[in-house]
Coordinates of all heavy atoms in Angstrom, one line a residue:
D547 N -27.8 12.8 19.2 CA -28.7 12.0 19.9 C -28.7 11.9 21.4 O -29.6 11.4 22.0 CB -28.4 10.5 19.3 CG -29.7 9.8 18.9 OD1 -30.6 10.4 18.5 OD2 -29.8 8.5 19.1
Y549 N -29.7 14.2 23.5 CA -30.9 14.7 24.1 C -32.0 13.8 24.5 O -32.7 13.9 25.4 CB -31.4 15.9 23.1 CG -32.2 15.3 22.0 CD1 -33.6 15.1 22.0 CD2 -31.6 15.0 20.8 CE1 -34.3 14.6 20.9 CE2 -32.2 14.4 19.6 CZ -33.7 14.3 19.8 OH -34.4 13.8 18.8
K550 N -31.9 12.6 23.6 CA -32.9 11.6 23.9 C -32.6 10.9 25.2 O -33.4 10.5 26.0 CB -32.9 10.5 22.7 CG -33.4 11.0 21.4 CD -33.3 10.0 20.4 CE -33.8 10.5 19.0 NZ -33.6 9.5 17.9
T551 N -31.3 10.7 25.4 CA -30.9 10.1 26.9 C -31.2 11.0 27.8 O -31.7 10.6 28.9 CB -29.4 9.7 26.7 OG1 -29.1 8.9 25.6 CG2 -28.9 9.0 28.1
I552 N -31.0 12.3 27.6 CA -31.3 13.3 28.7 C -32.8 13.3 28.9 O -33.3 13.4 30.1 CB -30.8 14.7 28.3 CG1 -29.3 14.7 28.3 CG2 -31.3 15.8 29.2 CD1 -28.6 15.8 27.6
K553 N -33.7 13.3 27.9 CA -35.0 13.4 28.0 C -35.5 12.1 28.8 O -36.5 12.2 29.7 CB -35.8 13.4 26.6 CG -35.7 14.8 25.9 CD -36.6 15.7 26.7 CE -36.8 16.9 26.0 NZ -37.6 17.9 26.6
N554 N -35.0 10.9 28.6 CA -35.4 9.7 29.3 C -35.0 10.0 30.7 O -35.8 9.4 31.7 CB -34.7 8.5 28.7 CG -35.4 8.0 27.7 OD1 -36.6 8.3 27.2 ND2 -34.8 6.8 27.0
A557 N -37.5 12.3 32.3 CA -38.8 11.6 32.5 C -38.7 10.6 33.7 O -39.6 10.5 34.5 CB -39.2 10.9 31.2
P563 N -43.6 8.4 32.0 CA -43.1 7.4 31.0 C -41.9 7.9 30.1 O -41.8 9.1 29.9 CB -44.3 7.1 30.1 CG -45.5 7.9 30.8 CD -44.9 8.8 31.8
L564 N -41.1 7.0 29.7 CA -39.9 7.4 28.9 C -40.4 7.6 27.6 O -41.1 6.9 26.8 CB -38.8 6.3 29.0 CG -38.5 5.8 30.4 CD1 -37.3 4.7 30.2 CD2 -37.9 6.9 31.2
P565 N -39.9 8.8 26.9 CA -40.2 9.1 25.7 C -39.6 8.2 24.6 O -40.2 8.2 23.4 CB -39.9 10.5 25.4 CG -38.9 10.8 26.5 CD -39.2 9.8 27.7
Y566 N -38.5 7.7 24.8 CA -37.7 6.9 24.0 C -37.5 5.5 24.5 O -37.1 5.4 25.7 CB -36.4 7.5 23.5 CG -36.5 9.0 23.0 CD1 -36.4 10.0 23.8 CD2 -37.0 9.1 21.7 CE1 -36.6 11.3 23.3 CE2 -37.1 10.4 21.1 CZ -36.9 11.4 22.0 OH -37.2 12.7 21.4
D567 N -37.4 4.5 23.6 CA -37.2 3.2 24.2 C -35.6 3.1 24.5 O -34.7 3.1 23.8 CB -37.5 2.2 23.0 CG -37.1 0.7 23.3 OD1 -36.8 0.4 24.5 OD2 -37.2 -0.1 22.4
P568 N -35.5 2.9 25.8 CA -34.0 3.0 26.3 C -33.2 1.7 25.6 O -32.0 1.9 25.5 CB -34.1 2.8 27.8 CG -35.3 2.3 28.1 CD -36.3 2.7 26.9
D569 N -33.8 0.5 25.5 CA -33.0 -0.6 24.9 C -32.6 -0.3 23.5 O -31.5 -0.6 23.2 CB -33.8 -1.8 25.1 CG -34.1 -2.2 26.5 OD1 -33.2 -2.1 27.3 OD2 -35.1 -2.9 26.7
A570 N -33.6 0.2 22.7 CA -33.2 0.6 21.4 C -32.1 1.7 21.3 O -31.3 1.6 20.4 CB -34.5 0.9 20.5
L571 N -32.3 2.7 22.1 CA -31.4 3.8 22.1 C -30.0 3.3 22.5 O -29.0 3.7 21.9 CB -31.9 4.9 23.2 CG -31.3 6.2 23.1 CD1 -31.5 6.9 21.7 CD2 -32.0 7.0 24.2

Side-chain angles (χ1 to χ4, degrees):
D547 225 29
Y549 77 93
K550 292 178 181 177
T551 303
I552 293 167
K553 285 289 191 185
N554 274 357
L564 301 180
Y566 303 99
D567 177 5
D569 293 329
L571 193 58

